Amino acid sequence: MQHDCAPSSLGPLLGHAAHLARERMDARLSRYDMTPAQTHTLLYLCGQDASVPQREVVEHLRVKPSTVNGILDRMEEKGIIRRTADENDQRQKRIAATEKGRELRDLVQAAFQ
């Protein structure tokens, strides 16, 4: 596919490049039954020393709390994170990666090296 190198064509070229990069990332992650949002969440959680409040995950991902709930639900079903009640406030949840999650993080990181 031949592209015009004029400055006005830069936007579409960047859009096309981003689309191709996303397709390749999705294909690599699909081997591990992971979405980009789940991977981003897992990498964040594995980088923490301890469990984190769910509201911190919401802030880190910069999405609605309901969206984070869905992401965490699917990750918990896979056994890669665990949610526990905060000892100081039972209404709040704390999130941590499981050992299985840490192993999966290692596999995913190796796939992108």
Side-chain angles (χ1 to χ4, degrees):
M1 180 162 148
Q2 189 77 4
H3 290 288
D4 184 8
C5 292
S8 62
S9 66
L10 183 58
L13 285 173
L14 288 173
H16 183 68
H19 177 76
L20 290 174
R22 177 70 180 230
E23 278 183 345
R24 288 186 178 150
M25 182 175 66
D26 288 348
R28 284 183 179 181
L29 291 176
S30 69
R31 290 185 230 163
Y32 306 102
D33 190 30
M34 294 284 288
T35 66
Q38 291 171 358
T39 304
H40 188 66
T41 303
L42 184 61
L43 292 173
Y44 173 71
L45 292 172
C46 288
Q48 307 306 307
D49 292 332
S51 64
V52 298
Q54 186 164 326
R55 70 181 174 280
E56 284 188 21
V57 178
V58 170
E59 291 168 6
H60 179 75
L61 295 178
R62 298 180 185 169
V63 295
K64 295 178 187 176
S66 59
T67 301
V68 170
N69 271 334
I71 292 167
L72 295 176
D73 284 346
R74 286 183 292 285
M75 293 176 76
E76 192 171 32
E77 288 169 6
K78 295 175 187 181
I80 58 178
I81 62 129
R82 79 175 160 279
R83 286 191 257 204
T84 56
D86 187 295
E87 62 187 38
N88 298 320
D89 185 350
Q90 296 294 308
R91 297 168 299 169
Q92 301 297 317
K93 298 294 182 196
R94 297 191 64 85
I95 316 299
T98 62
E99 186 59 36
K100 180 179 177 181
R102 292 182 187 286
E103 290 170 4
L104 182 58
R105 182 253 342 242
D106 294 342
L107 290 171
V108 169
Q109 283 183 325
F112 283 91
Q113 291 180 355

